[in-house]
Amino acid sequence: TQLLEQSPQFLSIQEGENLTVYCNSSSVFSSLQWYRQEPGEGPVLLVTVVTGGEVKKLKRLTFQFGDARKDSSLHITAAQPGDTGLYLCAGGPLRGAQKLVFGQGTRLTINP
Amino acid sequence: ETGVTQTPRHLVMGMTNKKSLKCEQHLGHNAMYWYKQSAKKPLELMFVYNFKEQTENNSVPSRFSPECPNSSHLFLHLHTLQPEDSALYLCASSQDRGFMNTEAFFGQGTRLTVV
């Protein structure tokens, strides 16, 4: 069974601070995705990383895929209240492409 | 507009009721999914349909019955549910490309409360 562990599970910081959340596994994934979910809504895809060591930037968000494709991180610079939400990572297994494996999420709160 | 629409958004039902959740995707995808999201738990995959055929049933109790009449529509029929079935039920779709990456596009979910 492939598992994704996200840390921290909860994070509350002040506006303007930087933060990093992590997504770790003992398994290798063909790709890894990050989603953000706001209360009462479904998850929305932010980014997909596919190559070991890959770094992608989305405005103030920087996503990195580990060299061994077992882990990923999301770094937010100068966090804004609009960044508040549940951040989910999901791994695409090497085989059986349809079955994404989700982490339990990091609930992020940015205080004004 | 995410391209995946779920109805209803909220549903309260008694344990003896029968109800159905509906999902429609406008993205031309060939795979559709039902997920369950409970507090403090990871998203749980329930069912997978590929080209209208069920390809996965993740040990879901028979009180949940999926139906996929075509590649654009997916239903989840509910009967004799338990209070612990209360959760956010999410529908998603993707384009299956074999072993290549699969990105899921989610609907807004149905918040189900069983009383």
Side-chain angles (χ1 to χ4, degrees):
Chain A
T1 302
Q2 296 176 298
L3 296 174
L4 280 168
E5 295 286 337
Q6 289 189 243
S7 60
Q9 290 193 39
F10 300 92
L11 183 59
S12 180
I13 63 171
Q14 294 300 118
E15 181 177 359
E17 293 184 3
N18 301 332
L19 67 107
T20 302
V21 298
Y22 300 92
C23 176
N24 295 304
S25 176
S26 57
S27 301
V28 177
F29 291 96
S30 63
S31 66
L32 203 134
Q33 300 158 21
W34 285 92
Y35 295 81
R36 180 169 66 210
Q37 184 178 18
E38 299 186 14
E41 303 291 330
V44 176
L45 181 67
L46 296 174
V47 76
T48 300
V49 286
V50 298
T51 306
E54 181 176 3
V55 176
K56 280 192 174 179
K57 290 193 174 186
L58 186 66
K59 296 184 180 178
R60 294 175 292 99
L61 278 60
T62 301
F63 304 85
Q64 185 162 11
F65 202 10
D67 291 340
R69 293 187 297 165
K70 293 183 179 181
D71 52 80
S72 181
S73 63
L74 158 59
H75 181 79
I76 301 180
T77 304
Q80 304 292 313
D83 296 326
T84 293
L86 178 68
Y87 287 80
L88 296 161
C89 66
L94 290 178
R95 296 189 182 278
Q98 291 182 322
K99 192 173 178 180
L100 286 175
V101 176
F102 280 86
Q104 80 275 36
T106 292
R107 190 164 297 281
L108 176 64
T109 303
I110 310 299
N111 303 300
Chain B
E1 174 60 54
T2 64
V4 181
T5 304
Q6 288 187 244
T7 56
R9 293 291 309 276
H10 301 273
L11 178 62
V12 179
M13 60 185 288
M15 289 189 284
T16 59
N17 291 160
K18 288 185 180 181
K19 297 286 184 183
S20 295
L21 310 185
K22 179 182 176 182
C23 177
E24 184 175 1
Q25 59 100 357
H26 311 277
L27 301 168
H29 290 161
N30 56 17
M32 296 186 76
Y33 314 77
W34 281 116
Y35 283 89
K36 177 183 178 182
Q37 188 174 38
S38 305
K40 301 179 182 179
K41 282 187 176 181
L43 273 172
E44 298 174 67
L45 179 63
M46 299 175 72
F47 301 104
V48 179
Y49 276 84
N50 192 333
F51 291 105
K52 304 186 301 178
E53 300 296 321
Q54 187 180 126
T55 57
E56 183 144 353
N57 175 339
N58 211 19
S59 302
V60 180
S62 60
R63 58 185 183 270
F64 295 91
S65 175
E67 178 190 1
C68 188
N70 54 60
S71 293
S72 299
H73 294 85
L74 186 64
F75 295 89
L76 187 62
H77 304 300
L78 316 170
H79 63 98
T80 60
L81 294 193
Q82 305 297 311
E84 58 265 31
D85 296 323
S86 299
L88 182 68
Y89 287 84
L90 290 161
C91 172
S93 71
S94 70
Q95 186 61 28
D96 178 28
R97 291 169 287 190
F99 293 134
M100 294 179 66
N101 311 310
T102 297
E103 300 175 0
F105 292 81
F106 286 86
Q108 293 174 304
T110 294
R111 172 68 62 188
L112 174 67
T113 303
V114 181
V115 297

